[in-house]
């Protein structure tokens, strides 16, 4: 993309407009989608209701923006005062007229390194006080002028290739000719949070793992390899001055003093972890410094409560990934929901969902805030949907567990350790509920989650010593053969913790959910369909084939009284084996006149 604010004709060459006549006007007036999740609660719910159960079947494309860059389009657009801001694959940014799709300006990002973690996806920008903020895969936090796209400041937060080891190459040689992707390279995927004059963002890539392609050329259907020893990185969240880009504070996920914790035999909610605690304690002295490379990626934007001054975020897996022998203890504060002081970054409380985690169950889906209805009355709460298949409710002030939903999947050998024979465990590392946002409707007290059902085989393997290279042990994680694999859109009553309804999807669900006051839930599929469900029953009322997998969360907004729904369709997975194509389109829908 090329930034060209003075030549609209050239900019419009990159845009396909399928314009409808000026349509029906929403009675509720124009409303923006000004931040990730719509606001700092991360609820992904809109009060707009011009598009509702009765008329959603008439939804049609209003305009389409083509980025010109195919694949990995996972961004959630932001709409402020009638202008839409969206980031693309490769961290480019575009500002569009939210009513027509006309390009106002574009920013072309020039990466300083090609060594990044995973595919070059970005999940969105933040807009505040005339600036557009983005955190990039090559380790930078930048601010752009919202009116022109001009670069205002550029802060290099980390170099992705710093701290790499030769272990990846050694293991790759032992695995033969299969293509390898991934290492502990730090960069950013999440949309930033802007609060108290700070731009807050955390790194991914800290939990060391190699991704090995399968015979079809895909990664999701291949395997994830976690290597014995200290070869990860230390995850962190940092706050930058919104005006200057200067770093104000940094919080590290791995705890320097006492990251072993209490050697918990169960999760905090009582599920057995099947740990060999005596063996871990015996190995603890040898691995006292494992926290220095202990992992803990941060995948999605924190929720923020201005009243308490707290931000809430989920942390990722410890390193080495899926291999716990060289990191004895609970590995604090990985695999946790944490609350930090927004002004200082100081830890207020944590809830570690899976101590000493070995299965890839990152706390990845963005937390969301709500007023929990408990027998003791209303409690200001934070909710977190987990890869293990539960939705947890916590007291915002203390972290006390208020309740946990029923399991939204069928567990199999949950928390059984990897073994040389291969251990089949459900869920696998892709979820139940991964990074995809969960929508929450306070009126119905329901959360709407994309839930993946599937299992993985966790196998401990060995690459024999060769020459000067020592023996390397690792855990390989691959799709479990013969186990059912499918997705459901599931509505969870957060009062009872039970599923109100659950609908099986035609393909894997992706991108996250959006709920509206019109009684609708929008959800994307990997095969390219965007679906509108009745929020009360789960019935599909409308669907549209967008031409490529839905990669990002849908949003809705209104301009001049007309309601729109927008979603990124660029391919939902970085696997070539999914069977579905990739694309480059932001598709925007509205009702016809």
């Amino acid at each position: 993309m090329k930034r060209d604010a003075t030549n609209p004709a050239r900019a419009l060459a990159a845009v396909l407009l399928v314009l409808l006549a000026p349509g029906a006007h929403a009675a509720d007036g124009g409303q923006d989608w000004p931040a990730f999740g719509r606001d700092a609660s991360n609820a992904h719910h809109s009060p707009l209701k011009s598009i509702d159960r009765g008329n959603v079947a008439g939804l049609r494309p209003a305009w389409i923006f083509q980025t010109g860059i195919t694949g990995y389009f996972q961004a959630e657009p932001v709409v402020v005062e009638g202008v839409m801001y969206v980031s693309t694959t490769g961290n480019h940014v575009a500002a569009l007229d939210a009513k027509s799709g006309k390009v106002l300006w574009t920013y072309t990002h020039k990466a300083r390194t090609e060594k990044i973690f995973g595919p070059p996806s970005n999940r969105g920008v933040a807009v505040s006080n005339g600036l557009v903020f983005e955190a990039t895969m090559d380790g930078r936090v930048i601010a752009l002028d919202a009116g022109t796209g001009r670069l205002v400041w550029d802060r290099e937060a980390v170099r992705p290739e710093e701290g790499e080891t030769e272990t990846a190459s050694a293991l790759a040689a032992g695995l033969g000719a299969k293509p390898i992707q991934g290492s502990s390279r730090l960069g950013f995927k999440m949309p930033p949070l802007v609060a108290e004059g700070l731009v807050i963002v955390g790194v991914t890539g800290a939990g060391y793992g190699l991704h090995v392609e399968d015979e079809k050329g895909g990664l999701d259907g291949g395997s994830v390899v976690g290597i014995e020893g200290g070869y990860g990185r230390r995850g962190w969240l940092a706050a930058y001055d919104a005006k200057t880009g200067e770093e104000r504070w940094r919080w590290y996920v791995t705890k320097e003093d006492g990251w072993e914790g209490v050697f918990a035999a169960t999760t905090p909610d009582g599920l057995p972890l099947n740990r060999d605690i005596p063996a871990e304690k015996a190995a603890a002295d040898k691995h006292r410094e494992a926290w220095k490379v202990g992992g803990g990626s941060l995948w999605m934007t924190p929720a923020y409560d201005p009243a308490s001054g707290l931000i809430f975020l989920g942390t990722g897996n410890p390193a080495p990934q899926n291999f716990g022998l060289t990191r004895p203890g609970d590995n604090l504060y990985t695999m946790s929901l944490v609350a930090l002081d927004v002004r200082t970054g100081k830890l207020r409380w944590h809830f570690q969902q899976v101590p000493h985690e070995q299965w890839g169950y990152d706390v990845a889906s963005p937390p969301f805030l709500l007023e929990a209805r408990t027998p003791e009355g209303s409690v200001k709460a934070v909710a977190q949907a987990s890869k293990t298949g539960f939705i947890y409710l916590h007291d915002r002030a203390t972290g006390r567990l208020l309740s946990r939903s029923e399991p939204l999947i069928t567990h199999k050998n949950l928390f059984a350790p990897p073994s040389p024979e291969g251990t089949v465990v459900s869920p696998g590392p892709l979820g139940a509920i991964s990074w995809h946002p969960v929508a929450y409707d306070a009126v119905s007290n329901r959360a709407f989650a994309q839930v993946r059902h599937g299992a993985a085989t966790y196998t401990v393997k060995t690459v024999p010593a060769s020459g000067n290279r020592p023996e390397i042990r690792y855990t390989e994680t691959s799709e479990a053969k013969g186990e059912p694999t499918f997705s459901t859109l599931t509505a969870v009553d957060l009062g009872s913790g039970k599923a109100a309804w659950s609908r099986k999807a035609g393909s894997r669900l992706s991108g996250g959910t959006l709920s509206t006051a019109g009684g609708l839930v929008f959800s994307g599929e990997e095969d390219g369909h965007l679906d509108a469900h009745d929020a009360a029953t789960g019935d599909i009322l409308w669907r549209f084939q967008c031409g490529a997998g839905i990669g990002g969360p849908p949003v809705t907004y209104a301009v001049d009284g007309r309601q729109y729904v927008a979603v990124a369709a660029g391919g939902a997975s970085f696997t070539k084996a999914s069977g579905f194509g990739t694309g480059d389109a932001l598709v925007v829908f509205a009702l016809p006149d």
Side-chain angles (χ1 to χ4, degrees), residues 558-573:
V559 180
D560 295 335
R562 189 183 191 197
Q563 186 179 353
Y564 299 81
V565 175
V567 72
S573 171

Side-chain angles (χ1 to χ4, degrees), residues 245-264:
E246 294 296 320
E247 185 174 316
R248 297 305 181 201
W249 56 256
R250 181 177 295 200
W251 176 76
Y252 285 96
V253 175
T254 60
K255 180 174 169 57
E256 179 176 352
D257 179 20
W259 99 303
E260 297 87 359
V262 298
F263 291 87

Side-chain angles (χ1 to χ4, degrees), residues 33-39 42-45 73-79 84-88 122-127 189-192 300-301 366 435-438 511-514 551-556 566-568 586:
W33 189 275
F36 177 80
R38 190 175 174 273
D39 59 33
N42 275 351
H44 280 86
H45 178 82
F73 192 10
Q74 297 180 331
E76 176 174 305
V78 170
V79 181
M84 177 182 288
Y85 303 89
V86 63
S87 58
T88 74
N122 178 268
R123 293 173 180 163
V125 300
V127 180
K189 281 187 180 289
M190 70 167 65
M300 292 303 291
T301 307
W435 66 268
H436 312 97
V438 172
T513 55
L514 160 71
V555 305
T556 190
V567 72
L586 179 75

Side-chain angles (χ1 to χ4, degrees), residues 48 80 103 107 173 185 188 219 373 496 536:
L48 295 179
V80 178
V103 175
Y107 162 79
R185 295 171 181 159
F188 300 104
L219 295 174
R373 305 165 192 177
S496 67

